Amino acid sequence: MKKQFALIALACAVGSTATAEGLPEKYKAAGKIVVANQPNYPPMEYRDPATNELMGLDIDLEEALAKKLGTTIEWSDIGFEQMVSSINTGRVDLIHSGMSDLPKRRDTLDFVDYMKSGAQFYTSASRKDEFKTPTDFCGKTVGMSRRTSFPDEAAKWSAKNCEGEGKPALKIVGTEGSADARAQLKQGRLDGAVQGSETLPYLVDLEKDTYIIVGEPFTAVYQGIAFSKKDTELRDAYAAALKELMASGEYKAVFAKYGLENAMLDGIYINGEPVK
């Protein structure tokens, strides 16, 4: 019952017009919102090699949301593992950096979800004949960022699809990030790797004839903008602004720019729950 009342109240807030008037006073006075982001996950967030300018879907969407709310963004480059503590200590106001909205994270954070994602296998193009389906990785060494949920998700997938079918388990290697996994794959230290489905088409296009995607995503999650549980007013202001971007077509335009229309959501979701 408590959850039902909370969703009703939230629906009312999201249904309102998202102007600068909807922004909490503290952020109006500051004239900015400090956003945690680590630009190492193209095409979601990265730096242009020539100009060092921040680029990516998350960057464009956040700037569009800020404009709708009548404020500006101050980007704070923070390691992924420090982001939650940074928001809880007030160093940043929110996190917008390819973060999955996972149930265990909702103990300390609230999420305004904005896209679909999933973990997906890939390998070197030179080994395409060895790995035609995901189960061909059973018993093989597969790398993925240890800072993400991928190692746990891959272990669960392996238990069902490898060990559960009488095959050897995945040999999961936690790497220092997706770039490290790719480097180890090129060096032959890994047989395959796992990365977010939203990033792999960009990667394959960027380094042609280097990688191949194997199978469909084996998980389904939402990516979300993360807020302190104490900052429900800012969360609701962002949800309302996102709703306006969806209605105006600006949301779709951002996703189309990066060829990720299939990752768009059909409405507003808070902590994985639809808000009408």
Side-chain angles (χ1 to χ4, degrees):
M1 185 65 70
K2 182 178 180 181
K3 183 177 180 181
Q4 184 179 13
F5 284 139
L7 286 174
I8 292 172
L10 184 56
C12 293
V14 173
S16 63
T17 302
T19 65
E21 297 306 312
L23 199 63
E25 191 59 42
K26 137 184 199 182
Y27 300 106
K28 291 181 192 176
K32 65 181 181 182
I33 295 173
V34 183
V35 179
N37 179 277
Q38 190 172 39
N40 63 353
Y41 201 51
M44 303 307 295
E45 43 261 325
Y46 60 103
R47 290 192 180 275
D48 185 300
T51 65
N52 204 40
E53 179 186 0
L54 273 175
M55 303 179 69
L57 187 150
D58 281 346
I59 308 303
D60 290 356
L61 183 60
E62 182 62 40
E63 295 288 356
L65 287 164
K67 183 177 180 181
K68 184 66 66 176
L69 290 166
T71 190
T72 60
I73 296 301
E74 178 183 308
W75 295 101
S76 182
D77 188 343
I78 296 175
F80 202 81
E81 60 274 17
Q82 276 90 46
M83 286 185 179
V84 175
S85 61
S86 293
I87 199 171
N88 289 330
T89 58
R91 179 181 172 189
V92 300
D93 300 317
L94 60 88
I95 302 166
H96 196 160
S97 189
M99 179 174 279
S100 297
D101 174 4
L102 303 176
K104 63 182 180 181
R105 288 178 175 156
R106 295 175 197 152
D107 291 339
T108 55
L109 300 170
D110 276 343
F111 289 89
V112 173
D113 302 321
Y114 63 94
M115 69 176 287
K116 294 177 286 188
S117 179
Q120 195 166 17
F121 290 103
Y122 69 102
T123 189
S124 301
S126 61
R127 303 186 69 178
K128 62 182 179 181
D129 293 333
E130 292 179 63
F131 301 102
K132 296 182 180 295
T133 68
T135 53
D136 291 334
F137 288 106
C138 294
K140 302 298 184 180
T141 304
V142 181
M144 57 209 76
S145 174
R146 62 178 177 80
R147 300 184 182 94
T148 68
S149 58
F150 296 157
D152 287 343
E153 291 164 346
K156 291 176 184 176
W157 179 90
S158 177
K160 178 181 179 181
N161 296 280
C162 295
E163 298 101 295
E165 296 297 326
K167 300 176 182 179
L170 284 179
K171 298 174 183 175
I172 297 170
V173 175
T175 67
E176 291 301 314
S178 55
D180 181 35
R182 294 193 296 272
Q184 292 195 47
L185 189 60
K186 289 178 179 177
Q187 293 162 2
R189 297 170 62 186
L190 299 174
D191 298 304
V194 169
Q195 197 164 304
S197 57
E198 71 275 12
T199 69
L200 286 176
Y202 174 87
L203 177 65
V204 170
D205 186 62
L206 181 67
E207 299 187 59
K208 297 186 184 301
D209 302 319
T210 302
Y211 308 104
I212 59 161
I213 299 170
V214 182
E216 296 298 318
F218 60 89
T219 64
V221 297
Y222 292 143
Q223 300 283 5
I225 305 170
F227 303 82
S228 166
K229 281 197 167 292
K230 299 175 183 177
D231 211 346
T232 56
E233 288 186 38
L234 182 62
R235 177 203 67 191
D236 294 351
Y238 261 75
L242 182 59
K243 185 175 183 179
E244 287 198 10
L245 291 183
M246 288 179 170
S248 70
E250 293 173 80
Y251 171 80
K252 183 177 180 179
V254 170
F255 279 76
K257 177 180 176 180
Y258 296 95
L260 290 172
E261 294 97 322
N262 289 339
M264 295 192 308
L265 298 184
D266 58 1
I268 301 300
Y269 293 76
I270 305 292
N271 295 329
E273 296 283 344
V275 179
K276 301 300 183 184

